[in-house]
Amino acid sequence: MDKQQQSELERERQYCELCGKMENLLKCGRCRSSFYCSKEHQKQHWKKHKLICKEADKAQLPKQKPGKAPPAGDDEAPEKSQEKKSPEQADSASLPQTTETPEVGDRPGEDGPNNTATPNGQTSSSPQKLAMEYIVPCMNKHGICVVDNFVGAETGLGILENVKALHKTGKFTDGQLVSQKSDSTKDIRGDKITWIEGREAGCEKILFLMSRMDDLIRHCNGKLGNYSINGRTKAMVACYPGNGTGYVRHVDNPNGDGRCVTCIYYLNKDWNAKEHGGLLRIFPEGKAQFADIEPKFDRLLLFWSDRRNPHEVQPAFATRYAITVWYFDADERARAKEKYLTGAGEKGVKVELDKSPDPS
C-alpha cells in the first residue's frame, strides 16, 4: 500500500481521545499520534495522555531534523512543538494555545494532497484491499467503520436520483418498530421508509450499490468476528423529512434475529451537522466515549448490529436520505427462524457471497 492510501486508511480509524467524535479532528502537536476534536478536550484529557505522549515523543526524536525536536518540558507545562506547517496546515491548527498541554496541530490526512481518489471521488482501493486492509481490522478493533467516497460522486448522484424518484411515488411509509406499540412509534422514530429488492423499475443504481456492498462483505467474510455471513435483508431506503424528527437510542438486533452487520449508505450533499443536525450517535458498549457520524454524501458506515452498538439519529432539520442493509450470520439466523424471532420488514434475501454479483 502506498503512503497516500495508508494515510487515508489511518485517517478513518481516528477519533477524539476524550469523547470519541470522528469529525474535524486535530493532531496532538507533540506526539502527532493522538487526536482531539477541540483544544478543550485535549486539555481535559492531558493527565492521561501525557503518559503516552512522552513515550511517543521519545520515539520520534531520532527522526527529527536538527533543531526540530520538541523540547522535553515538564509534566505540567510541556511546550508546544515548533514544527513548521504549510499555510493549509496552519489554517487547520488555529485553536488557542495553552501552557498546560502541547498544541493540537494539523488535521489528520492533510499532510499533502489526497491522491487516493479517482477524478469522480471514488476510493481507488480495490474492494478486496479495502476489506482486508481497513474494514476487517477496523471492525474487529472498534466495531464501527466509516468509508468515504464509497462509489464515487457520479454513481452516488445516480443513486440519489433513484431515491428521490422513489420518494415522489408516495410509497414511503412510517418506519415500524420490531416490537410495535401502535401509539408510540412516531415518538420513537420519525423516518419514512420503503423496502427495495433492487429489481424494481427505476432502482438500477440502488441495485448497483447493493452489489458493491455485497462485494465488500464477500471479501470480509469469515474474518468479521466469528460470523459466517450468508445473506442480507432487502435495502431499507429511509427519509427523515427535516421537521426535527429523529430516532431515539436503540439497538438494531437486541434479541438475536440473525442480523450481525449494519451497513448504512448516506446520500446527503453539502450536509452541515451544526445547521442540519441528523448525526448518528453510537454508544459503544462498555466505553465512556461515543461516536458521532455525519450523514455525508457517498459515505458508508458499518457497525455490529447487536447490543454492542446502541445508537440514535439526532433530530434532522433538512431532508436526510440513507439506505440501510443488514447482513445475516448463518447460525444465528437459522436459530431465529426456529424461534420465530424475525420482525416486520426483516425479510431475508439469499445472497451467494462466494460468487461475484452482477453490477449491471
Side-chain angles (χ1 to χ4, degrees):
M1 190 190 309
D2 62 31
K3 284 187 176 181
Q4 285 84 4
Q5 287 175 320
Q6 183 67 36
S7 174
E8 182 74 7
L9 296 184
E10 286 298 326
R11 184 167 62 87
E12 297 293 354
R13 295 191 180 107
Q14 295 150 1
Y15 49 82
C16 176
E17 295 284 349
L18 185 67
C19 71
K21 186 178 178 183
M22 292 177 161
E23 304 288 339
N24 302 318
L25 298 177
L26 294 164
K27 285 182 185 177
C28 170
R30 185 180 191 175
C31 69
R32 303 184 66 77
S33 61
S34 292
F35 302 88
Y36 296 93
C37 64
S38 66
K39 193 71 173 177
E40 187 58 37
H41 277 197
Q42 188 200 24
K43 288 172 65 178
Q44 290 177 32
H45 194 251
W46 174 243
K47 283 188 177 180
K48 289 184 178 179
H49 177 58
K50 68 183 180 183
L51 303 175
I52 61 168
C53 189
K54 291 181 71 178
E55 293 304 314
D57 191 14
K58 289 177 187 175
Q60 286 189 12
L61 286 176
K63 301 177 184 178
Q64 300 287 339
K65 294 180 181 178
K68 296 293 182 183
D74 59 51
D75 281 355
E76 298 303 318
E79 298 175 32
K80 70 187 183 82
S81 168
Q82 299 299 313
E83 190 174 3
K84 289 185 179 179
K85 297 183 179 70
S86 68
E88 293 79 12
Q89 292 168 336
D91 286 345
S92 68
S94 57
L95 294 171
Q97 298 176 9
T98 176
T99 58
E100 296 176 0
T101 59
E103 178 187 15
V104 283
D106 44 76
R107 297 194 187 281
E110 292 188 2
D111 294 331
N114 179 3
N115 294 322
T116 62
T118 57
N120 70 354
Q122 184 174 343
T123 301
S124 59
S125 296
S126 68
Q128 186 171 6
K129 261 193 170 184
L130 186 62
M132 298 309 301
E133 295 179 1
Y134 173 47
I135 291 176
V136 167
C138 189
M139 285 291 287
N140 288 332
K141 183 176 181 181
H142 301 295
I144 304 168
C145 186
V146 177
V147 180
D148 283 327
N149 306 318
F150 180 56
V151 296
E154 186 177 343
T155 303
L157 285 172
I159 298 167
L160 179 57
E161 287 174 7
N162 278 186
V163 169
K164 285 183 174 179
L166 265 179
H167 196 197
K168 286 180 181 176
T169 65
K171 292 180 181 177
F172 281 56
T173 58
D174 289 340
Q176 301 296 303
L177 303 177
V178 172
S179 51
Q180 182 70 41
K181 305 278 188 186
S182 58
D183 296 330
S184 64
T185 306
K186 288 185 178 178
D187 294 332
I188 296 173
R189 62 183 294 183
D191 56 341
K192 305 280 186 179
I193 69 168
T194 190
W195 293 88
I196 296 297
E197 187 175 344
R199 303 289 177 184
E200 298 87 346
C203 294
E204 294 79 11
K205 297 295 184 180
I206 296 175
L207 176 62
F208 175 72
L209 170 69
M210 294 159 73
S211 76
R212 284 296 305 273
M213 289 179 174
D214 291 348
D215 205 19
L216 206 56
I217 295 296
R218 181 184 308 106
H219 289 300
C220 295
N221 207 7
K223 300 175 180 67
L224 289 173
N226 296 316
Y227 295 121
S228 175
I229 298 173
N230 71 337
R232 58 162 166 77
T233 63
K234 295 180 181 180
M236 186 187 80
V237 183
C239 171
Y240 288 86
N243 58 359
T245 57
Y247 195 160
V248 301
R249 184 165 168 168
H250 66 283
V251 172
D252 284 352
N253 176 16
N255 299 313
D257 64 24
R259 291 178 291 171
C260 59
V261 177
T262 301
C263 289
I264 309 177
Y265 179 73
Y266 293 111
L267 288 153
N268 309 294
K269 296 284 288 181
D270 305 316
W271 192 266
N272 181 336
K274 289 183 179 179
E275 179 182 348
H276 303 138
L279 288 172
L280 182 77
R281 176 166 289 181
I282 304 178
F283 304 87
E285 184 182 51
K287 296 182 181 179
Q289 300 171 332
F290 54 82
D292 279 343
I293 313 296
E294 290 190 33
K296 291 182 177 180
F297 178 77
D298 201 22
R299 166 172 285 179
L300 182 70
L301 168 68
L302 304 91
F303 57 89
W304 303 132
S305 305
D306 59 20
R307 293 176 183 271
R308 285 173 287 181
N309 285 316
H311 54 283
E312 67 187 19
V313 178
Q314 298 187 341
F317 300 97
T319 304
R320 179 189 187 275
Y321 290 115
I323 298 175
T324 305
V325 168
W326 288 271
Y327 286 88
F328 292 124
D329 172 64
D331 292 341
E332 185 180 311
R333 185 64 174 171
R335 291 195 301 270
K337 284 182 177 180
E338 288 177 10
K339 296 179 181 179
Y340 305 102
L341 288 178
T342 55
E346 294 161 25
K347 297 180 177 65
V349 176
K350 179 79 173 170
V351 178
E352 299 294 340
L353 289 171
D354 57 341
K355 296 178 184 177
S356 216
D358 179 8
S360 60

